[in-house]
Amino acid sequence: MYIYNEVDQKIVDERVAQFRDQTRRFLAGELSDDEFLALRLMNGLYIQRHAPMLRVAIPYGLISSVQLRKLAHIARTYDKGYGHFTTRTNIQFNWPKLEQVPDILAELAQVQMHAIQTSGNCIRNTTTDPFAGVTPDELEDPRPWCEIIRQWSTLHPEFAYLPRKFKIAVTGSPRDRAASQVHDIGLHLVQNDAGEVGFEVLVGGGLGRTPVIGKQIRPFLAKQDLLSYLEAILRVYNLKGRRDNKYKARIKILVEAMGIDAFRDEVDAEWEQIRSSELTLTDAEIARVKGFFQPFEYDASAAADTSLQQKLANDEAFRVWYERNTHEHKVVGYRSVVVSLKPQLEPAGDITDLQLEVVADLAEQYSFGEARSTHEQNLVLADVKNADLYAVWQQLAEHNMARPNIGTLTDMIVCPGFDFCALANAKTLNIAEQINRTFDDLDYLYDLGEIRLNMSGCINACGHHHIGNIGILGVDKKGEDWYQITIGGSDREDASLGKVLGKSVAADNVADTLKKILETYVEQRTDEESFLDCVRRVGVDPFKEKVYAAAH
Amino acid sequence: MPLLIDRQIVSDDSWQLVEEADALPQSGDLLLPLALYLEQGATLGERRVAVKVNGDDDLAPVLDALDRFPMIAIEFPIFRDGRGFSLARKLRRAGYQGELRAVGNPARDQLGYMERCGFNAFQFADEAFSEEFLNAFGEISVRYQGSSDDPRPVYLQN
Ligand code: SF4
C-alpha cells in the first residue's frame, strides 16, 4: 500500500494543527457557525442527532493492521467502543466529543490517516474494487490511479467550495464492484484498439433525490491525461454547477441540463488550455506510485496445499462459508476472504473495537498486514493462503464476522437512519433487524441466490436504495415510518435504477412484503435465473399484483 | 475597509468602487462592476480602471483586455460560493500579472487557498478582519497539486 513520505506526513500534521485552531476559535466564539460548519465538514465532522459524528477516510478502502488497531483504540477511548463502515468505504464514529476531535485527528496522523474531505462540498474519498490487484478478471490494478487522484484532490485549493460534494470511482475490471456508474465521475481502465490501457470516463451519475446513471464523456483517455481531464471537468462544474438549490447542485443536474454533448464541448475547450501543462502525468511518477502496489511475494508452495479440500469435505459449516464468503484470487493457492459485517442482530457495517483488533491480527498473520473495506459495508482480507482459510474462518466465527451471507439478501447495505442521522425520515435499523429475523433460513437464502438489498432512511440515498436489486426507502407519512420498495436496480456493470413497486408499506409489513416479492420470483424464475434477470424479464407487474392483491 | 496586499496590511486604497454610471467621479482610480465597465469603458479614456467580476459574469471581455486593468476584483458573495477560485485561476492562466483582489466576503480560513489560486490581495468588511488573519497563509506549507502559485505537482517541486 502507499506509504507516506515527509510531504504526506506534513500535510496531515499541519492539517491537524489547522483544525485544532479552527475548533479553538469556534469554541471561543471567534468563528461563526456557518463558517465552522463548512470547515468542520471538510474534516469529516458532522453534528448528528445525539452527538458529533466523525468520518475517517480510508483511501480507496485500503487499510493496514496498524491503522485498524488505531481505529480500535479510538473507538475505545473516544467513542462507545464501536465504529461504522460506510458505502464510501470510510469509517465513522458516532459519539466523539467536539473538543476531542483534534486529538483524535492527531492520533490518526500518527498512523498516516486523516478525515480530510470525508464530507463537505469537495472531492471525496475515491473508491474502487475491493478485490483490486488480486482478482483474476482485472485488466490493471486501479489503486495506483486512486492514489494519484487522492494526492491531486487532497487540499486542492480551487475545488474546496464546489456547488456540492463530488465522488469518483475507479475500476480495473470489466466487472464493476465499485458502483462506478452512479458516481459524479466513473473511471474504467480499458484497452483501446492499439492495445494501450487508458480510461473510459463517465460523468454525471449519482443517487439522491434525482438518481442518474453516468454518461460516457470519453471512450478513451490516455493515462497521462488523467489529471488534466479531471481538472477540466471540475473547473467547468465549479463555475457552472447550480448553487441556488442544493438538490440541483450535483454535476448530474448540470450534465442533464446542458446535455452530454454540450457539456463535453465545454470540458474539451477547457482541457485544450491545460492539457499540455504540468498536469500531464510523467511516466516516472506513474511508475513511482505503482511501485507501492506491487504484488506481494506469494508463497509458491501455497498451490500444493491439500488440507483445504479435506477441511471442506469434513466441515459443512466451513464449506458453506467458503462458498459464500471467499472470492477467487489470481494466484493459485490463495483466496480473498470477505469478513461479514452483517451479523444477524447488529447494524450493518458496525464493528467493535475488539473486532477491529481481530481483523488487524488476522490481516497481520495471514494477509500481508492489509485489509480492505467494501462499499457493501464489509471488510476483505485479500490474500489468504488456502491452507490458512480454516483458521481465519474459526477466528472470524468466534467474533461474529463469519455469517455466510455475502451476496445474499441479508448482506444488506443499510444507512444509519433515524437512530443516528439528523436528516433521516425513518428508521432503518429496526427494519434490517425485522428482515434478518424473517430470513434466517440460510438454505432459503442460498436458493434465492445473489440479491442485493439496499436501504436508506431518506431520499439522500446513502444506503444506495435505487441500485439495490431490492431497494427500501424510508418515508415519513404524518409522523409514521413507511417504506417505499423498488425492484430491479443494479450497481454493477449493467447498472440500472429500480422501479417503484407501488404505494409504500407500513413498518410492520416490510419483511412480509419482501416475502411476497421473493415468492413471486421463485414462481416466475427459469432455471438459474437470478432475481435481477427475472425482474428484468417479467417486469414489475407480477410482483406488484402479488404484493398488493393480498392486501385487499 | 481592511486590505491585505502581498501579505501586508495596506492602509491606502486608491480604488473607488462605483456602482452607477451617474455616480462616476471626475478623477481618481475607478473600480467598476464588469457590466458598468462594458457600458462606460469607452468613455473613460486613459483613466485607471479596475473591474469587479463575479461568478455570474462572462469572463471573455476581461480576458480580451487584461492589460487594461491594473487590478481585478473577484467577488465572493457568500462563504460557500467557490466560483471565484476558478475565475482567479483562469485569469492567471491567461497571463494576468496585475493585482487580483478577493472582495465581498473572503474568509480567514479561505485565504491560503485563495492565494494558491492566484489572489494577492484581500479586502474585508471592517468588523470581519483581525491582524491574526496573517497567520492563515502559513498553515499548510506543502502541497500536492500545482496551482497558480506554482504549477508543479509535488513530484516536480524538488
Ligand atoms: S440516507 Fe438519509 S437517513 Fe440515511 S444516512 Fe443518508 S441522510 Fe441519513
Side-chain angles (χ1 to χ4, degrees):
Chain A
M1 72 192 291
Y2 184 75
I3 304 296
Y4 279 15
N5 58 31
E6 274 167 42
V7 172
D8 303 289
Q9 189 63 46
K10 202 162 187 183
I11 283 180
V12 294
D13 288 344
E14 292 184 350
R15 181 65 162 176
V16 172
Q18 185 183 46
F19 188 70
R20 196 181 286 284
D21 188 55
Q22 287 167 355
T23 307
R24 180 193 61 73
R25 284 186 280 128
F26 172 70
L27 292 171
E30 294 166 24
L31 198 54
S32 74
D33 283 356
D34 199 43
E35 286 183 29
F36 187 60
L37 173 90
L39 297 171
R40 67 173 162 74
L41 285 178
M42 272 184 259
N43 244 318
L45 186 64
Y46 286 76
I47 303 297
Q48 288 291 43
R49 205 167 277 285
H50 307 289
M53 181 271 277
L54 178 67
R55 186 179 294 148
V56 175
I58 302 177
Y60 38 96
L62 193 59
I63 188 165
S64 70
S65 290
V66 173
Q67 292 171 328
L68 284 162
R69 290 199 186 97
K70 180 60 89 177
L71 295 177
H73 165 75
I74 288 169
R76 197 155 43 227
T77 314
Y78 300 95
D79 203 282
K80 296 188 175 179
Y82 68 97
H84 173 79
F85 281 99
T86 74
T87 52
R88 225 140 185 85
T89 73
N90 293 320
I91 187 168
Q92 54 198 40
F93 293 104
N94 280 308
W95 308 94
K97 294 198 180 61
L98 176 61
E99 41 310 349
Q100 289 186 332
V101 170
D103 294 338
I104 300 176
L105 296 177
E107 295 239 26
L108 290 170
Q110 289 168 3
V111 294
Q112 312 193 344
M113 294 186 88
H114 59 76
I116 296 170
Q117 290 168 217
T118 53
S119 59
N121 295 335
C122 48
I123 303 173
R124 303 287 191 87
N125 187 21
T126 298
T127 50
T128 191
D129 186 343
F131 301 113
V134 297
T135 181
D137 56 22
E138 187 169 84
L139 178 66
E140 184 178 313
D141 188 345
R143 293 172 303 169
W145 302 103
C146 294
E147 175 59 26
I148 285 169
I149 294 168
R150 183 191 76 81
Q151 298 198 12
W152 163 78
S153 62
T154 297
L155 306 189
H156 196 298
E158 186 181 349
F159 303 133
Y161 300 89
L162 295 170
R164 200 78 175 83
K165 58 188 167 185
F166 203 91
K167 301 176 177 180
I168 303 174
V170 190
T171 65
S173 154
R175 304 281 326 261
D176 185 353
R177 287 174 287 256
S180 68
Q181 298 192 48
V182 289
H183 280 72
D184 296 287
I185 292 179
L187 296 167
H188 301 156
L189 282 155
V190 291
Q191 205 157 22
N192 66 8
D193 293 338
E196 298 151 347
V197 175
F199 299 96
E200 179 196 15
V201 185
L202 306 188
V203 70
L207 297 173
R209 209 162 276 236
T210 317
V212 185
I213 303 290
K215 297 174 184 63
Q216 190 192 68
I217 183 168
R218 258 199 114 68
F220 188 85
L221 177 72
K223 286 172 164 179
Q224 63 270 22
D225 292 330
L226 177 64
L227 296 184
S228 58
Y229 197 69
L230 291 181
E231 191 147 315
I233 293 178
L234 264 296
R235 187 163 298 131
V236 169
Y237 170 55
N238 192 37
L239 285 168
K240 303 229 151 162
R242 282 181 64 171
R243 291 174 184 268
D244 57 331
N245 177 342
K246 77 172 194 169
Y247 297 112
K248 298 201 186 303
R250 295 286 289 267
I251 195 172
K252 62 192 174 190
I253 305 289
L254 178 65
V255 173
E256 297 266 283
M258 291 178 72
I260 183 68
D261 294 324
F263 182 78
R264 181 186 298 113
D265 291 346
E266 193 88 22
V267 169
D268 283 347
E270 177 60 30
W271 191 37
E272 270 315 305
Q273 304 274 328
I274 57 176
R275 195 176 170 178
S276 310
S277 70
E278 287 87 344
L279 280 164
T280 305
L281 283 160
T282 63
D283 291 344
E285 173 63 2
I286 294 170
R288 180 186 78 89
V289 178
K290 281 189 174 177
F292 290 100
F293 300 92
Q294 289 306 302
F296 293 118
E297 294 192 2
Y298 293 108
D299 180 354
S301 67
D305 170 72
T306 53
S307 66
L308 173 65
Q309 288 311 321
Q310 237 169 42
K311 290 279 195 321
L312 289 172
N314 295 339
D315 191 326
E316 172 71 7
F318 174 61
R319 187 187 59 74
V320 167
W321 173 82
Y322 173 87
E323 280 168 8
R324 292 302 335 169
N325 291 21
T326 71
H327 186 270
E328 200 182 349
H329 196 289
K330 68 181 181 191
V331 177
V332 182
Y334 283 80
R335 301 282 291 179
S336 296
V337 168
V338 183
V339 176
S340 174
L341 298 184
K342 312 294 172 66
Q344 201 192 357
L345 296 176
E346 299 294 335
D350 272 15
I351 189 162
T352 67
D353 54 342
L354 177 64
Q355 286 175 321
L356 282 163
E357 281 168 350
V358 169
V359 176
D361 291 346
L362 289 173
E364 192 168 76
Q365 200 175 347
Y366 299 111
S367 195
F368 298 95
E370 292 181 9
R372 293 115 183 266
S373 48
T374 79
H375 89 274
E376 287 105 352
Q377 301 176 287
N378 293 307
L379 296 177
V380 165
L381 297 168
D383 304 273
V384 181
K385 270 190 227 176
N386 284 350
D388 294 333
L389 287 169
Y390 194 78
V392 169
W393 170 68
Q394 284 183 309
Q395 278 290 312
L396 290 174
E398 188 182 330
H399 295 280
N400 204 17
M401 293 185 281
R403 191 177 184 204
N405 61 344
I406 299 306
T408 72
L409 187 77
T410 60
D411 183 13
M412 294 174 265
I413 293 177
V414 186
C415 85
F418 193 86
D419 291 292
F420 291 97
C421 177
L423 302 171
N425 282 328
K427 290 190 184 187
T428 52
L429 302 183
N430 59 334
I431 302 299
E433 190 179 320
Q434 184 190 108
I435 294 167
N436 264 319
R437 287 187 192 277
T438 309
F439 298 97
D440 64 346
D441 177 354
L442 283 174
D443 288 333
Y444 181 58
L445 290 184
Y446 296 158
D447 176 59
L448 295 173
E450 235 357 71
I451 299 183
R452 167 122 304 291
L453 172 58
N454 292 353
M455 182 168 12
S456 306
C458 78
I459 195 67
N460 287 323
C462 304
H464 294 184
H465 61 277
H466 305 104
I467 48 170
N469 300 159
I470 300 175
I472 301 178
L473 165 66
V475 291
D476 174 85
K477 268 201 200 172
K478 299 193 184 108
E480 279 179 37
D481 289 1
W482 286 68
Y483 296 87
Q484 185 188 76
I485 295 177
T486 47
I487 57 175
S490 166
D491 62 4
R492 295 298 179 92
E493 55 280 3
D494 60 352
S496 59
L497 303 170
K499 296 198 174 69
V500 176
L501 188 67
K503 58 186 194 312
S504 52
V505 301
D508 290 345
N509 290 334
V510 175
D512 274 349
T513 306
L514 294 188
K515 260 193 194 163
K516 286 174 200 136
I517 291 171
L518 296 168
E519 278 163 27
T520 312
Y521 160 57
V522 172
E523 285 160 24
Q524 297 278 347
R525 70 179 163 189
T526 60
D527 292 350
E528 307 283 307
E529 189 177 45
S530 71
F531 176 80
L532 179 62
D533 288 340
C534 179
V535 175
R536 283 181 174 165
R537 182 175 55 82
V538 305
V540 173
D541 287 345
F543 296 89
K544 192 180 205 152
E545 277 159 29
K546 179 104 173 181
V547 167
Y548 295 103
H552 295 294
Chain B
M1 284 194 284
L3 176 64
L4 293 181
I5 299 179
D6 297 333
R7 299 194 185 186
Q8 306 280 337
I9 298 175
V10 173
S11 43
D12 303 329
D13 183 17
S14 66
W15 298 104
Q16 316 166 60
L17 175 64
V18 180
E19 308 262 10
E20 306 284 340
D22 48 13
L24 276 177
Q26 291 308 310
S27 62
D29 297 347
L30 296 172
L31 169 59
L32 306 179
L34 180 59
L36 186 57
Y37 169 77
L38 293 176
E39 206 183 290
Q40 298 290 326
T43 69
L44 297 172
E46 297 286 288
R47 282 182 76 174
R48 272 165 49 95
V49 183
V51 280
K52 187 174 81 161
V53 296
N54 65 38
D56 293 329
D57 289 324
D58 175 7
L59 216 50
V62 183
L63 290 168
D64 287 343
L66 288 177
D67 293 342
R68 175 77 179 88
F69 310 113
M71 191 270 266
I72 298 174
I74 295 179
E75 198 175 1
F76 286 81
I78 55 165
F79 183 70
R80 291 171 201 218
D81 185 344
R83 290 178 292 183
F85 293 91
S86 288
L87 294 177
R89 289 209 64 186
K90 285 192 152 201
L91 290 170
R92 289 299 188 203
R93 182 176 74 207
Y96 181 63
Q97 305 272 341
E99 178 185 330
L100 197 51
R101 185 185 291 191
V103 301
N105 182 30
R108 181 228 184 260
D109 292 283
Q110 295 176 319
L111 299 182
Y113 281 175
M114 285 176 172
E115 191 181 61
R116 291 207 54 206
C117 287
F119 289 96
N120 68 320
F122 309 90
Q123 191 156 37
F124 307 90
D126 291 321
E127 70 284 5
F129 179 74
S130 130
E131 284 192 19
E132 185 277 328
F133 281 20
L134 288 164
N135 298 331
F137 294 103
E139 286 178 345
I140 306 288
S141 64
V142 281
R143 57 210 178 286
Y144 282 125
Q145 61 295 99
S147 189
S148 298
D149 55 341
D150 180 346
R152 298 168 305 166
V154 61
Y155 63 88
L156 297 178
Q157 282 166 19
N158 295 314

